[in-house]
Amino acid sequence: MKVLKFGGSSVATSENINKAINIVKNSAHDTNIIVVVSALGGITDVLLEAGNLACGGDENYKNQFKLIEERHLKVIRELIPVGNQSGILGHVKKMLNKLEATLEGVFLINELSAKTSDKIVSFGELLSSFIIAEAMKNKGLDAGLKNSQELIVTDENFSNAVVKFSQTNENISTFFSKNNHKIIVLPGFVSKTESGEPTTLGRGGSDYTAAIVAAAVNASVLEIWTDVSGMFTANPNFVQQAFPIKNISYQEAMELSHFGAKVLYPPTIQPVLEKEIPIKIKNTFDAEAEGTLITKVTSNANPIKGISHIENMTLITLEGSGMVGIPGFSKRLFEALFQQKINVSLITQASSEHSICIAINNTDAEKAKNAIDAEFSFEISQHKVNPLIVEKNNAIIALVGDNMKSHQGISGKMFSALGRNNVNIRAIAQGASEKNISAVITHKDIKKALNTLHSEFFEDQTKQLNLFVVGVGNVGQKLLTQIKNQQSYLLEHLKLQVRVIGIANSKKMLFNEDGIDLETWKLQLDKANHLNMDHFHDKITDLNYRNSIFVDNTAEESVSNLYARYLKESVAVVTCNKIACSSNYSNYVELKNLSRKYNAPFLFETNVGAGLPIIDTLKNLIASGDKVTQIQAVLSGSLNFIFNNFNEQNSFYDVVQQAGVEGYTEPDPRIDLSGVDVMRKILILARESGTELELNDITNDSFLPKSSLEAKSVTDFMETLKNESAHFTQLRKNAEAKKCRLKYVAEFNQGIAKVGLKEIPATHPFYDLAGKDNIVLFFTNRYCEQPLIIKGAGAGADVTASGLFADIIRIGNN
C-alpha cells in the first residue's frame, strides 16, 4: 500500500487536481492507494482571515466567505460533468452553510477561541477531500472518502493537537482492514478529541496526517507531492545553482525541515522513521522528475546534504560576571521562555559561563525581553547581570549532513568561506553529533551567505564575480567587449563566472540582477534610469552579492571619493582613475587600510603604465625584502606619442589633436601636457615603494609656455598650442641639434621626485622608446648596477582595459 499526499499548490485549481488524479491513477495499477489532500491552495489563510474579521465585528468576513464559496463551486463545475454536479453541489453547499453559520456566531459574540478556530479551518480539507474523491469517481476510479476526524484522535490542545497514537493506530488499522476500495481519499490536517471536538495538527499538518496513516498501515512508501522536484541543496529562490538532493536520511531531512526547508513539515518524519518507511518528495507538475528519496541511510558521498536557513530571528544575550559558577541561570532563563511558550531555535553558551546567547523569532522578541527582565530583575538591579542585549533582523544558516563528523575541516571551511565574503557571524552552535553546524548572521547577508556556502560545498569551485562598471567611454567599452569575448574561456579554464550587474555613464545607470547582456548593453543603457551615484551605491549594497567589484573607468574625483564607502561594504574596487591614489597621503593610506580591514581588494595597476605590470612588479620587489633607491621612467604614453610624432611635417597642435582622437590623452589634454598626470604616476610609485609623499612635493619643470598654463578651458588651451608654435618648434630643434630626442621623464631618487621634459641622448634606454610606449627603470638594492626594466604600450583604450581586466581576474583567482 502507498500513501500519496498532495499539498495545497497541487490541488489549488481544477487543472492541478486533474494532474494529481492522473498521478493517483498511474500509481494504483499494482497496489492500493491512500490519498491525503490539503485544502485548495490558499484557502486556509482565507478561512483564518474570515474568522479574525468576524471576531473583530467586521462584516467583511462575508466577502471572505464568498471567496471560499465561489472558489469551491468553480472547481466542482470545472471538474465534474454537468449531469453529475447536482448532488455534489448540494452536499458542498450544506457544508458551506455550516461554515457560514459558524462565522456568523463568531461575529455575533465577537469571540474566536482556539477551539472554534480549529472548527473553521477544518472546512478547508473537508471540502477539498470530498470534491477530489467525487472527481475521481467521475473519472471511473474505484475511490472512497473517509473523514480523518474519525480516525485520528488527539488531546484538547486546539490548533496544535497532540496525537494519541494508541487509539489512532487502532482506528486506522480497523478501517483499512475492512476497506474494499482501491483508493481512499482522506482530508489532511484535521482530527478530533475523544469527545468528538474538531482539532487540527498545526500548519503543515497534512504531511503529518499522511505519515501517521502510512505508519499505521505499514505502507511501502509515503509520497509527498508538492510544487518542487524534491528537497534542494539550498533554497532555489536564493541560490540559482541549487539542485534536488537525490537521497537523504530521515535525520538530515528533519534538520533541513527545521531550518526552513518548506517542502516537508518536520513532525512528519517521526511516525515513518520508526517503521523505516521511505519518503519520496515529488513534483505534481513534473511527475517524471526523480525528486528526493528519504531513507534511514543515504548513498550520497558528499557529507553535506544541504544548506538551509531561518529568517527573521532575534539574538538575545544574557551576560554578567554574577553568572559565573552559579548554578541555575540556564534553568531560570529557559523556564521564563517556556512560560511564555517561546520556541528557542539556537542556543550557545561560553565555557566561562559569563554569557548565554539564544535565537528566537522576531515576533517573540518583546515578549521574551519582558519575561527575562522580570526573571532577572534582582540580579540586574545588583549589576550581577547586565541589561539584556536584544538584536533583531538576524537569520540562522545551517550546514546539514549525517557524515560531517567523519570529515575534518568542514566547520573551518564554512567559516573561512563566509569570512572571505565578509559575512559577519554573530553566534555559532554545533552539537557533538555534527549533523548540523549553525551560525547567526545579519538578515541582509542571507543571499550572499547561502550562495557562498553552496559554491564552496556543492559547485565545481566556480567563482562568480559580479561587476558594477562606471564609465563606458573608450576604456569602458573596450573592457565590456573583452569581458564578453572571454566569458566562456574564463568559465572553462579558470572557473570564473564574470557577470556585469550594473553599468553607468555620465547620464544613465542600468542594472540586471542576473547579468546584463553585453551584446545589447548600449541600447539598454539608453532606456535606463537617470544616474544618481548614491542610488548606484545603494543598489550595490542592497544586492549584497558575493565577490562584488566596483570598476571605475572615469577620471572623475567625485567617483574616486566613493571608494571608501564601497570598501567598507566589502566591495572590491578596480580603477584606472589615478585621483584617489594621488590624493592626500592620509586618504591613500586609509583606502589601503580599509581594503585590508574589510577583505576587499583595492587594485589600481592601470594607474601607471596602463596594462603594464609596473605596480605589481614593484609590490613584489618590496614584499620580497628589496628596497627601491631610484626610479627613472617615461610614464606618459600620450606625451611619448606626441613627441615621437612631432616633426617638421606635423605641428605640435596637430599631433596633440591626433593623440586625443586616438584616445592617448585624457578628455582634457591639459592633464597630460601640464605634467600633472605624470606627477600622479610617479607619486603613486613612490608611495608604493614605501615613501610618504604628497603631490605638491614633486617638482614639475613644465615645458608649456605661460599662456598655455593659464588657459581657462580646453578650447583656449588648444588655441595656445597654435599661437605658441614657435616655442614648441624651438624645443624640438634644440634637441635635434644635440642629436637628442625629447622625452617627458619622471624621476624619484632618495625620497625626492621631479618631472620634466628631457633631451635624451642616443646612449640612453629612453632614446628608442617608440610610439605610445612607457618604460620604467627600477634601481634597487638588488638591481643596483643594471636596473630592472619594464617596457611596453602605456596608453590606449585596449591596453588600459586589459589592465583593468587583469585586475578583475586577479581578484577572481585569489
Side-chain angles (χ1 to χ4, degrees), residues 323-343:
M323 296 170 59
V324 179
I326 307 298
F329 268 90
S330 298
K331 176 178 179 291
R332 291 171 61 192
L333 171 65
F334 293 116
E335 276 190 349
L337 296 171
F338 169 74
Q339 294 297 331
Q340 299 297 320
K341 297 184 178 180
I342 296 171
N343 184 50

Side-chain angles (χ1 to χ4, degrees), residues 126 146-153 186-188 190-192 209:
L126 295 174
K146 181 64 176 176
N147 187 345
S148 301
Q149 292 174 323
E150 298 171 9
L151 301 175
I152 299 175
V153 182
L186 301 174
V190 297
S191 48
K192 278 187 179 179
T209 302

Side-chain angles (χ1 to χ4, degrees), residues 380-442:
I380 293 171
S381 68
Q382 296 296 308
H383 304 291
K384 292 180 179 180
V385 172
N386 299 337
L388 207 64
I389 301 172
V390 179
E391 301 168 88
K392 290 188 175 182
N393 298 319
N394 291 296
I396 300 175
I397 54 168
L399 282 187
V400 173
D402 277 347
N403 296 321
M404 292 196 298
K405 61 185 176 183
S406 57
H407 288 73
Q408 295 178 343
I410 287 177
S411 58
K413 193 175 180 183
M414 173 184 179
F415 298 127
S416 175
L418 293 173
R420 287 197 304 272
N421 285 276
N422 206 48
V423 176
N424 188 37
I425 297 169
R426 298 289 296 109
I428 299 166
Q430 179 179 359
S433 66
E434 293 189 43
K435 286 183 170 66
N436 179 310
I437 306 173
S438 302
V440 179
I441 62 172
T442 58

Side-chain angles (χ1 to χ4, degrees), residues 380-523:
I380 293 171
S381 68
Q382 296 296 308
H383 304 291
K384 292 180 179 180
V385 172
N386 299 337
L388 207 64
I389 301 172
V390 179
E391 301 168 88
K392 290 188 175 182
N393 298 319
N394 291 296
I396 300 175
I397 54 168
L399 282 187
V400 173
D402 277 347
N403 296 321
M404 292 196 298
K405 61 185 176 183
S406 57
H407 288 73
Q408 295 178 343
I410 287 177
S411 58
K413 193 175 180 183
M414 173 184 179
F415 298 127
S416 175
L418 293 173
R420 287 197 304 272
N421 285 276
N422 206 48
V423 176
N424 188 37
I425 297 169
R426 298 289 296 109
I428 299 166
Q430 179 179 359
S433 66
E434 293 189 43
K435 286 183 170 66
N436 179 310
I437 306 173
S438 302
V440 179
I441 62 172
T442 58
H443 198 272
K444 70 180 181 66
D445 285 335
I446 291 173
K447 188 171 184 178
K448 182 193 285 188
L450 290 174
N451 279 276
T452 295
L453 294 178
H454 197 273
S455 174
E456 191 74 22
F457 290 103
F458 289 104
E459 297 169 29
D460 189 21
Q461 294 307 299
T462 298
K463 190 172 186 179
Q464 188 180 88
L465 302 181
N466 296 292
L467 310 188
F468 301 87
V469 180
V470 175
V472 284
N474 288 337
V475 173
Q477 289 188 43
K478 294 291 185 183
L479 174 63
L480 294 176
T481 299
Q482 291 176 14
I483 291 171
K484 175 176 69 72
N485 293 339
Q486 286 298 104
Q487 278 176 321
S488 297
Y489 175 89
L490 293 175
L491 188 59
E492 180 180 354
H493 295 279
L494 298 182
K495 301 298 182 185
L496 294 178
Q497 183 188 25
V498 182
R499 307 189 309 168
V500 178
I501 305 299
I503 295 176
N505 60 17
S506 60
K507 296 178 180 179
K508 298 289 186 83
M509 61 181 184
L510 169 69
F511 286 93
N512 186 320
E513 295 182 17
D514 296 321
I516 295 168
D517 183 353
L518 296 183
E519 292 279 0
T520 61
W521 67 265
K522 289 183 181 179
L523 292 174

Side-chain angles (χ1 to χ4, degrees), residues 115-116 118-119 122 149 152-156 158 161 190-200:
K115 180 178 177 180
T116 306
D118 270 6
K119 185 176 181 180
S122 295
Q149 292 174 323
I152 299 175
V153 182
T154 71
D155 64 9
E156 295 183 357
F158 297 100
V190 297
S191 48
K192 278 187 179 179
T193 65
E194 286 183 279
S195 61
E197 295 293 344
T199 56
T200 59

Side-chain angles (χ1 to χ4, degrees), residues 141-349:
L141 298 180
D142 178 16
L145 174 68
K146 181 64 176 176
N147 187 345
S148 301
Q149 292 174 323
E150 298 171 9
L151 301 175
I152 299 175
V153 182
T154 71
D155 64 9
E156 295 183 357
N157 185 23
F158 297 100
S159 80
N160 195 15
V162 176
V163 176
K164 295 189 174 184
F165 278 98
S166 178
Q167 293 166 266
T168 297
N169 290 339
E170 184 180 345
N171 291 343
I172 294 170
S173 297
T174 301
F175 170 75
F176 281 101
S177 67
K178 299 176 181 178
N179 168 59
N180 295 319
H181 289 293
K182 187 78 171 175
I183 301 163
I184 286 292
V185 179
L186 301 174
F189 181 55
V190 297
S191 48
K192 278 187 179 179
T193 65
E194 286 183 279
S195 61
E197 295 293 344
T199 56
T200 59
L201 302 177
R203 295 303 295 265
S206 291
D207 286 353
Y208 196 21
T209 302
I212 292 167
V213 174
V217 301
N218 290 308
S220 60
V221 66
L222 166 59
E223 295 181 359
I224 307 290
W225 289 84
T226 181
D227 54 4
V228 292
S229 299
M231 299 187 82
F232 278 65
T233 49
N235 188 329
N237 293 325
F238 289 90
V239 182
Q240 289 185 350
Q241 288 75 27
F243 54 88
I245 307 166
K246 289 184 179 181
N247 188 204
I248 192 171
S249 74
Y250 294 121
Q251 288 80 7
E252 290 167 336
M254 280 195 287
E255 291 281 0
L256 285 174
S257 298
H258 172 71
F259 276 89
K262 304 299 183 186
V263 175
L264 194 65
Y265 183 55
T268 297
I269 297 169
Q270 193 60 43
V272 293
L273 183 152
E274 294 175 1
K275 297 286 187 75
E276 296 186 13
I277 297 169
I279 303 173
K280 283 185 178 179
I281 311 295
K282 299 279 286 180
N283 189 345
T284 306
F285 310 101
D286 186 7
E288 299 303 314
E290 187 174 358
T292 297
L293 176 64
I294 305 173
T295 54
K296 184 177 180 180
V297 293
T298 63
S299 57
N300 192 338
N302 190 341
I304 309 298
K305 292 303 187 299
I307 305 159
S308 199
H309 74 285
I310 311 175
E311 299 182 32
N312 303 313
M313 302 303 293
T314 292
L315 201 60
I316 293 181
T317 304
L318 179 70
E319 64 180 10
S321 57
M323 296 170 59
V324 179
I326 307 298
F329 268 90
S330 298
K331 176 178 179 291
R332 291 171 61 192
L333 171 65
F334 293 116
E335 276 190 349
L337 296 171
F338 169 74
Q339 294 297 331
Q340 299 297 320
K341 297 184 178 180
I342 296 171
N343 184 50
V344 178
S345 297
L346 178 143
I347 306 165
T348 181
Q349 180 174 11

